Amino acid sequence: MNSCQAPCPTDVKQYNDHTNGVDRADQIRRELITYRTSKKWWHYLFWFTFDVAVANAFVLMRDSQSHRQMTKSHRTKPRTMLQFRIALSKQLIGQFQGMRKRKRISNKDGAGTSHWPSMSEKRGRCRQCSKAGKRREVKCRRSSCEVFFVC
């Protein structure tokens, strides 16, 4: 034995012999984790199970002969977990787009009157500033619905 080598402790050797790949599975699962913090215990359980299922699917896909990516020089190109998750999410979601369709804003309300600005004699709170948590009093308002706003 050289002076720079140390013998492996028996506990470490036994641990490595009996883990059966659990550390590798945790490493793959932790590469891109889905879990978000929550006060509900079952949220953690759900996301943990989801991550384990995705990690297992990634390992099966990576070892499958029919899912190999080839380069132009006919070498196998390894897939990353990120590539796998992007492809998986596209397959799960499909063509769904979660965005709402925006309605076209017209200058007329239901009664047919216009929403053009006009000056008021009294002051009122700006609706947009109120939504942002600021207090701002202005004299500009819409002529038909009398909503105050900053000109």
Side-chain angles (χ1 to χ4, degrees):
M1 180 166 28
N2 281 339
S3 61
C4 63
Q5 291 181 347
C8 182
T10 56
D11 294 338
V12 173
K13 184 165 177 24
Q14 285 179 351
Y15 175 78
N16 289 334
D17 289 342
H18 295 93
T19 56
N20 294 330
V22 173
D23 288 340
R24 184 69 181 130
D26 284 342
Q27 183 180 13
I28 291 171
R29 185 179 60 86
R30 289 277 181 182
E31 193 171 325
L32 289 169
I33 196 162
T34 311
Y35 174 69
R36 301 288 184 260
T37 57
S38 174
K39 292 182 180 181
K40 297 181 173 96
W41 64 269
W42 57 271
H43 283 200
Y44 174 78
L45 188 62
F46 172 78
W47 290 116
F48 174 81
T49 308
F50 180 81
D51 284 337
V52 168
V54 170
N56 288 341
F58 173 69
V59 169
L60 289 173
M61 186 273 317
R62 186 184 60 195
D63 294 341
S64 171
Q65 292 293 328
S66 61
H67 289 95
R68 298 227 185 251
Q69 283 184 332
M70 302 299 274
T71 62
K72 290 182 180 179
S73 60
H74 300 292
R75 294 183 185 160
T76 58
K77 180 181 175 184
R79 286 192 189 184
T80 64
M81 176 66 99
L82 179 62
Q83 291 171 335
F84 176 74
R85 281 188 175 246
I86 290 171
L88 178 67
S89 63
K90 285 180 181 177
Q91 288 176 353
L92 290 175
I93 294 172
Q95 298 297 322
F96 177 76
Q97 293 182 356
M99 297 182 293
R100 293 184 301 176
K101 292 182 180 178
R102 294 185 178 215
K103 294 180 181 176
R104 186 173 178 205
I105 300 172
S106 68
N107 283 338
K108 294 189 176 184
D109 60 1
T113 57
S114 62
H115 283 276
W116 297 109
S118 64
M119 297 302 284
S120 173
E121 293 180 16
K122 62 178 187 171
R123 292 171 124 358
R125 291 185 68 187
C126 173
R127 180 175 283 185
Q128 293 294 10
C129 295
S130 296
K131 287 180 184 178
K134 300 175 185 173
R135 182 173 178 93
R136 186 170 184 180
E137 293 191 1
V138 292
K139 284 192 169 186
C140 244
R141 68 178 175 92
R142 293 187 184 138
S143 57
S144 62
C145 59
E146 299 183 10
V147 172
F148 288 93
F149 65 97
V150 177
C151 293

